[in-house]
Amino acid sequence: MKDNSDTEKKPKYWTPAEVSMHNVEEDLWVTFLGKVYDLTPLAQQYKGDILLRPILTMAGKDISHWFDADTGKVRHHVDPVTGCIQPYTPMGKSFFFFYIEPVVGTH
């Protein structure tokens, strides 16, 4: 992921309105647990993949409700059909749940 934290060119803090402008596959940011993440490289790498759909739907928005605020880890739930514990993604399965590093900033 791109690191857009260059303080000479970009602010260190972003408002929700500023983050919301990055809401397309070619320029995709999300926030969660108070931090801003640029997922554009991920979106480009998996362009057209159905597992990218939940992220595209939430582009420019906060996805903190997908995570446990205490641990920072992905929330889980029991699938009512299979009885298996699965990552909680309200919009379907996603491959978003891996280690994401460079933070763009905070909001």
Side-chain angles (χ1 to χ4, degrees), residues 4-63:
N4 288 343
S5 61
D6 182 0
T7 55
E8 294 177 14
K9 296 180 183 177
K10 307 236 181 194
K12 184 176 179 181
Y13 298 96
W14 301 91
T15 67
E18 290 169 320
V19 172
S20 72
M21 293 188 294
H22 302 272
N23 61 5
V24 293
E25 191 170 358
E26 296 76 24
D27 182 23
L28 196 163
W29 291 8
V30 296
T31 62
F32 63 92
L33 304 178
K35 296 188 179 178
V36 179
Y37 295 85
D38 182 351
L39 301 184
T40 306
L42 176 75
Q44 295 304 303
Q45 181 178 354
Y46 294 99
K47 190 173 187 131
D49 194 309
I50 194 166
L51 295 178
L52 189 62
R53 193 172 298 160
I55 298 167
L56 293 174
T57 302
M58 296 303 293
K61 300 176 186 169
D62 185 71
I63 59 170

Side-chain angles (χ1 to χ4, degrees), residues 41-98:
L42 176 75
Q44 295 304 303
Q45 181 178 354
Y46 294 99
K47 190 173 187 131
D49 194 309
I50 194 166
L51 295 178
L52 189 62
R53 193 172 298 160
I55 298 167
L56 293 174
T57 302
M58 296 303 293
K61 300 176 186 169
D62 185 71
I63 59 170
S64 295
H65 61 285
W66 291 5
F67 298 86
D68 182 305
D70 295 328
T71 65
K73 295 184 180 191
V74 176
R75 287 182 169 193
H76 287 80
H77 76 285
V78 176
D79 183 289
V81 175
T82 65
C84 296
I85 297 175
Q86 299 180 336
Y88 171 74
T89 52
M91 289 163 220
K93 293 181 182 179
S94 177
F95 51 64
F96 176 69
F97 305 111
F98 57 87

